[in-house]
Amino acid sequence: MADRMKIEAGCDLLAAMTAENIARKTQRPINETLERFMQSITAELIYDLHTEQRFLGPAALTEEYMEETKEMS
């Protein structure tokens, strides 16, 4: 159980760091950016333990998110 909590805390931290990186790049408020990011496929994959997304860094996830949002526009 403790290991699961550590994994979730790590995913939360990674999501927050990625959202902060996105906010800097897009010059949007962090709260708005975090809310949008958490609704993205990229964020969902961070929390999916069957993928490798949680092992990527914030810079790589930022690029992935930017590609995702570009494709959706």
Side-chain angles (χ1 to χ4, degrees), residues 3-4 6-15 18 42-58 60-61 64:
D3 288 338
R4 179 74 174 171
K6 288 178 183 178
I7 291 170
E8 288 179 11
C11 291
D12 290 344
L13 179 59
L14 181 56
T18 302
T42 303
E44 285 180 30
L45 293 174
I46 292 172
Y47 290 90
D48 182 350
L49 302 183
H50 300 292
T51 69
E52 300 294 314
Q53 300 313 93
R54 68 185 184 284
F55 299 116
L56 299 177
L61 291 168
E64 189 172 311

Side-chain angles (χ1 to χ4, degrees), residues 5-45:
M5 290 174 57
K6 288 178 183 178
I7 291 170
E8 288 179 11
C11 291
D12 290 344
L13 179 59
L14 181 56
M17 292 168 58
T18 302
E20 186 176 344
N21 200 22
I22 294 166
R24 266 193 237 114
K25 281 189 165 227
T26 61
Q27 298 182 342
R28 290 192 171 154
I30 184 64
N31 291 341
E32 174 188 322
T33 303
L34 181 59
E35 186 176 327
R36 287 180 184 213
F37 177 67
M38 292 307 291
Q39 296 173 13
S40 72
I41 294 169
T42 303
E44 285 180 30
L45 293 174

